[in-house]
Amino acid sequence: MTGSWLELPPDTGYGPANLPHGVFSTPGTAPRTGIAIGDRVLDLAAATGDDVHATGTLNAWLAQGPQVWAALRAQLVEWFTDESHRGDVEPHLLPRADVTMHLPIEVADYVDFYSSQHHAENLGAMFRPDSAALTPNWKHLPIGYHGRAGTVAVSGTPVVRPCGQRKAPAEDAPTFGPSQRLDIEAEVGFVVGVGSELGTAVPVGRFADHVFGVCLVNDWSSRDLQAWEYVPLGPFLGKSFLTSVSPWVVPLAALEAARVAPPTRDPQPLPYLRDDAEPWGLDISLEVRLNGEVLSRPPFDLMYWTPAQQLAHLTVNGASLRTGDLFASGTVSGPRADQRGSFIELSWGGREPLTLADGSTRTFLEDGDEVVLTASAPGPDGSRISFGEVTGRVEPARRD
Amino acid sequence: MTGSWLELPPDTGYGPANLPHGVFSTPGTAPRTGIAIGDRVLDLAAATGDDVHATGTLNAWLAQGPQVWAALRAQLVEWFTDESHRGDVEPHLLPRADVTMHLPIEVADYVDFYSSQHHAENLGAMFRPDSAALTPNWKHLPIGYHGRAGTVAVSGTPVVRPCGQRKAPAEDAPTFGPSQRLDIEAEVGFVVGVGSELGTAVPVGRFADHVFGVCLVNDWSSRDLQAWEYVPLGPFLGKSFLTSVSPWVVPLAALEAARVAPPTRDPQPLPYLRDDAEPWGLDISLEVRLNGEVLSRPPFDLMYWTPAQQLAHLTVNGASLRTGDLFASGTVSGPRADQRGSFIELSWGGREPLTLADGSTRTFLEDGDEVVLTASAPGPDGSRISFGEVTGRVEPARRD
């Protein structure tokens, strides 16, 4: 898996060790599955002649399961590293700059977790200043909730500033209008390929039997809507207007070199959440950029709960999985101020505005702002695995 | 719309004024759309020859919108009331007792509201005894949250008792095991036929342009799992193991005679929630039966927030709708003890066990218990519109 006849630069994040899957189109053609390799995309439908890659989403292929995933991966590695395949493969490579990317999966259910201890402590301190920063359940289970699957959209989808109700503590009654505290949440998402039966749990050790891969998630959030609505049943309109995902799904198989031990869990969790045998900590380095300027670098390796624990928890009550289920980590924040994955943390609830390179300041997002999340992880032999990016530009509210 | 050559009994809830849509099959045949009429079902795919009714869900037809819904309804009324059609129609009628019913829609997103003031006050008093029963936001917006669409199942699906974490206040740490407080929530659900665009709101007055019809919902709930997990992000595993829906979707068009004024809202809600021009209060009478015995009769006409307000709230932040979206009212409870739509209310948190006709007592559901929810509403000319039923029997937990 070292060299490739593609003569990729040594620092490419899209070498034969990555091979992320996505859905692309070119002008006048239908969306179909592609594989990112260097600065190109392999038209997988054309290269394989398999219609399962021509459906416009990854779902049908994901449902075929880990053996099929592994077999295709082995074939792709051979194609890209053995020059004897060049003549067959090269005609199906397109410049990535020339294609339009689409939502890679038809999202079945979307679940968002809350698994960064630093993020949960920061938010707890701001939203519930009179209580302990972590709720009593936080270290016993990966807290999560269902989000709106229908508003999960691909990177680049405009972020229309949401309207809604908000009420400052000092006000008597709520008012209606555009959100004044529009925020991001820098997250990592996990894509379920193989479903499960109603009434059965998926143990921690079966994570890779169900989850195909990883994408980046920006769970756009309206903090003023959220603060007024979320007691007692959780976030609703403060989150449901848009969740953006990166177009490329990086296979778990590409992340073997990125696996690390998760933080020590204290207290020891209940047996169904123990992951000593096969932990799924992942050394993914995120970067948050606003209008081109790096604001923070959240470290995923510090997440308290791993995606394998999240999946085990999600299903321990017998809830079934479906192909296309997406679950996200929750905002990734580290202990340092420059490792925070949301503006509410970066500006400490709006009380400590950020000063940007151009001299302007920010507490939350302004119309016209563009946020880009990127990430990478260690690959084999010193290489890097790139997750690409998830972007969005804020547009003004459509009513007020 | 008075008589029918079908010679239906006067008290049928399935006369030509109802015409609920569902998906059925007979042994060896594929699921397809049917219309309930008397004690029979019309094979709509066969009767119309239209493949849109042979897809196994209502979704493709629902997406065609209100004009198509109305045109089919007019045709069905003519078929069932004008005896000249008898020869064409009768061959496509099957006894309902002979068919298997399926989930009528492929559920896109599932949202559950919390719109009964009596239920919210009861739950608030039990879950948060040290605070006001209603949270400060309750009378300003219809509180809701997203549930798990993938575990919405048709009536009759076994209710496997969920396992999970629970912690009594007096305990130091959570324990794992089968839920000890398995409950029901008697609700009414609304099925979206026509989607909406991301970034646009659906005003109260456009409710019937998007919503096709109404079903019954039993949002099975594990109160011990819920109580431990739900702060701060809301219910998750306490709800996600199963939500059962009735197989027949009653068109809004069948409910004109059931429309009533909703309760007076005080304080006046914000303008986007005002419904004076076209209120959608509905006089639906529910009934909760346990093992054949009537436990309560929750009145839907007392719901504080109507489904039109719920839809307007759900979309006011620009969240888009999709065909197949399902939103439910939240537990329907009236002011009296025999109008409560959940066991946690009927047994007041388990402190006041119910005594059943056989002399046994119940706080929450026991293995083997069967719950049946039924409902009806006024139809034209003194007739009744039946919603059928949603049932489920509790099976023992599969691990402990």
Side-chain angles (χ1 to χ4, degrees):
Chain A
M1 209 190 284
T2 47
S4 167
W5 50 262
L6 283 153
E7 295 176 8
L8 305 170
D11 63 346
T12 182
Y14 300 96
N18 189 349
L19 305 176
H21 291 230
V23 173
F24 77 99
S25 66
T26 52
T29 68
R32 55 203 184 275
T33 301
I35 304 291
I37 182 81
D39 58 1
R40 291 191 267 182
V41 55
L42 176 72
D43 182 335
L44 195 61
T48 62
D50 188 341
D51 283 347
V52 77
H53 301 303
T55 60
T57 77
L58 303 181
N59 292 49
W61 180 74
L62 292 179
Q64 296 184 1
Q67 289 183 309
V68 170
W69 308 342
L72 176 62
R73 185 170 182 81
Q75 183 172 58
L76 290 169
V77 169
E78 190 185 317
W79 282 359
F80 290 132
T81 56
D82 180 343
E83 186 145 11
S84 71
H85 295 285
R86 181 171 186 159
D88 294 330
V89 172
E90 203 158 31
H92 303 300
L93 291 172
L94 297 85
R96 276 205 283 142
D98 292 352
V99 306
T100 299
M101 298 304 298
H102 301 269
L103 188 63
I105 54 169
E106 183 182 346
V107 180
D109 269 300
Y110 167 50
V111 166
D112 196 20
F113 284 94
Y114 188 58
S115 291
S116 159
Q117 182 174 346
H118 303 290
H119 173 72
E121 287 175 342
N122 288 340
L123 270 282
M126 283 183 270
F127 273 79
R128 294 173 296 281
D130 302 328
S131 309
L134 289 184
T135 50
N137 51 10
W138 200 90
K139 289 199 166 184
H140 292 283
L141 53 82
I143 291 175
Y145 66 101
H146 286 89
R148 189 162 185 81
T151 52
V152 176
V154 73
S155 173
T157 301
V159 186
V160 178
R161 182 179 297 274
C163 291
Q165 295 194 25
R166 58 275 158 97
K167 191 186 87 65
E171 294 171 341
D172 287 338
T175 56
F176 181 85
S179 172
Q180 293 161 352
R181 293 162 72 96
L182 182 60
D183 200 354
I184 65 164
E185 296 204 320
E187 307 196 17
V188 175
F190 297 86
V191 174
V192 171
V194 177
S196 66
E197 293 216 356
L198 192 64
T200 63
V202 175
V204 167
R206 302 291 299 275
F207 172 65
D209 295 342
H210 291 271
V211 169
F212 167 71
V214 183
C215 61
L216 302 180
V217 175
N218 190 342
D219 188 32
W220 305 94
S221 297
S222 163
R223 302 301 178 186
D224 39 355
L225 274 57
Q226 182 184 352
W228 170 233
E229 76 179 354
Y230 91 107
V231 176
L233 299 185
F236 185 34
L237 299 191
K239 302 279 195 172
S240 64
F241 55 97
L242 185 65
T243 303
S244 300
V245 299
S246 58
W248 295 108
V249 182
V250 172
L252 283 189
L255 297 174
E256 280 302 318
R259 290 180 65 176
V260 292
T264 302
R265 265 70 63 119
D266 181 22
Q268 176 82 283
L270 283 162
Y272 79 93
L273 290 171
R274 289 190 196 153
D275 64 347
D276 319 273
E278 200 191 6
W280 273 97
L282 289 168
D283 180 19
I284 301 173
S285 302
L286 283 79
E287 192 170 270
V288 178
R289 277 185 268 148
L290 174 69
N291 303 329
E293 179 176 349
V294 176
L295 294 189
S296 73
R297 294 193 168 89
F300 193 74
D301 63 331
L302 298 184
M303 297 297 278
Y304 193 87
W305 299 106
T306 71
Q309 291 172 312
Q310 291 169 340
L311 192 71
H313 184 63
L314 195 163
T315 60
V316 77
N317 67 344
S320 48
L321 301 174
R322 291 182 293 172
T323 298
D325 280 349
L326 172 68
F327 62 99
S329 60
T331 308
V332 184
S333 290
R336 298 206 316 264
D338 63 358
Q339 295 178 319
R340 294 171 180 163
S342 68
F343 279 84
I344 195 172
E345 293 168 275
L346 287 163
S347 71
W348 205 253
R351 292 192 288 277
E352 301 172 12
L354 296 169
T355 300
L356 304 180
D358 67 2
S360 67
T361 59
R362 284 293 182 291
T363 50
F364 294 93
L365 291 169
E366 298 188 359
D367 291 348
D369 279 349
E370 184 183 52
V371 175
V372 178
L373 308 182
T374 61
S376 67
D381 306 318
S383 66
R384 295 297 290 177
I385 301 292
S386 176
F387 291 80
E389 64 180 29
V390 54
T391 75
R393 185 183 294 277
V394 179
E395 294 188 353
R398 294 201 182 152
R399 58 190 265 193
D400 55 20
Chain B
M1 212 191 284
T2 49
S4 169
W5 49 263
L6 282 153
E7 294 175 9
L8 304 170
D11 63 345
T12 181
Y14 300 94
N18 189 348
L19 306 178
H21 291 231
V23 173
F24 77 100
S25 66
T26 53
T29 67
R32 55 203 184 274
T33 300
I35 305 292
I37 182 81
D39 58 2
R40 292 192 267 183
V41 55
L42 176 72
D43 182 335
L44 195 61
T48 61
D50 188 341
D51 284 346
V52 76
H53 302 302
T55 59
T57 78
L58 302 182
N59 292 50
W61 180 73
L62 291 179
Q64 295 183 1
Q67 289 184 308
V68 170
W69 309 341
L72 176 62
R73 185 169 182 82
Q75 183 172 58
L76 290 169
V77 170
E78 189 184 318
W79 282 358
F80 291 131
T81 56
D82 180 345
E83 187 144 11
S84 71
H85 295 286
R86 182 171 187 159
D88 294 330
V89 172
E90 205 159 30
H92 304 299
L93 291 172
L94 297 85
R96 276 205 283 142
D98 292 352
V99 306
T100 300
M101 298 305 297
H102 302 269
L103 187 64
I105 55 169
E106 183 183 345
V107 181
D109 270 299
Y110 167 51
V111 166
D112 197 20
F113 285 94
Y114 188 59
S115 290
S116 159
Q117 181 173 349
H118 304 289
H119 172 73
E121 286 175 343
N122 289 339
L123 271 281
M126 284 183 269
F127 273 80
R128 294 173 296 281
D130 301 329
S131 309
L134 289 184
T135 50
N137 51 11
W138 200 92
K139 289 199 165 183
H140 293 281
L141 53 84
I143 291 175
Y145 67 101
H146 285 89
R148 189 162 186 82
T151 53
V152 176
V154 73
S155 173
T157 301
V159 185
V160 179
R161 183 180 295 275
C163 291
Q165 295 194 24
R166 56 275 158 98
K167 191 186 86 65
E171 294 171 340
D172 287 338
T175 57
F176 181 86
S179 172
Q180 293 162 352
R181 294 163 72 96
L182 182 60
D183 201 353
I184 65 163
E185 296 204 319
E187 308 195 17
V188 175
F190 297 84
V191 174
V192 171
V194 177
S196 66
E197 294 218 354
L198 191 64
T200 63
V202 175
V204 166
R206 301 291 299 276
F207 173 65
D209 295 341
H210 291 272
V211 169
F212 167 72
V214 183
C215 61
L216 301 180
V217 175
N218 189 341
D219 187 34
W220 305 94
S221 297
S222 164
R223 302 300 179 187
D224 39 355
L225 274 57
Q226 183 185 351
W228 170 232
E229 76 180 355
Y230 91 107
V231 175
L233 299 185
F236 184 34
L237 298 192
K239 302 280 195 172
S240 65
F241 56 98
L242 185 65
T243 302
S244 299
V245 298
S246 59
W248 295 109
V249 181
V250 172
L252 282 190
L255 297 173
E256 279 301 318
R259 291 180 65 174
V260 292
T264 301
R265 264 73 61 119
D266 180 21
Q268 176 84 281
L270 284 162
Y272 79 94
L273 290 171
R274 289 189 197 155
D275 62 349
D276 320 272
E278 200 192 8
W280 272 97
L282 289 168
D283 180 17
I284 301 172
S285 302
L286 284 78
E287 192 171 270
V288 178
R289 278 184 267 148
L290 174 70
N291 304 329
E293 180 177 348
V294 175
L295 295 189
S296 72
R297 293 193 169 90
F300 192 75
D301 63 330
L302 298 185
M303 298 296 279
Y304 193 86
W305 299 108
T306 70
Q309 291 172 312
Q310 291 168 342
L311 192 71
H313 185 63
L314 197 163
T315 59
V316 77
N317 67 346
S320 49
L321 301 174
R322 290 182 294 171
T323 297
D325 279 350
L326 172 69
F327 62 99
S329 60
T331 308
V332 184
S333 290
R336 300 205 316 265
D338 64 356
Q339 294 177 319
R340 294 171 180 162
S342 68
F343 279 84
I344 195 171
E345 292 169 275
L346 287 163
S347 71
W348 205 254
R351 293 192 287 278
E352 300 171 12
L354 295 169
T355 300
L356 304 181
D358 67 2
S360 67
T361 59
R362 285 293 183 290
T363 49
F364 294 92
L365 291 169
E366 298 188 358
D367 291 347
D369 279 349
E370 185 184 52
V371 175
V372 178
L373 308 182
T374 61
S376 68
D381 306 317
S383 66
R384 294 296 291 176
I385 301 291
S386 175
F387 292 80
E389 63 181 29
V390 55
T391 75
R393 187 181 293 277
V394 179
E395 294 188 353
R398 293 201 180 149
R399 58 190 266 192
D400 54 20

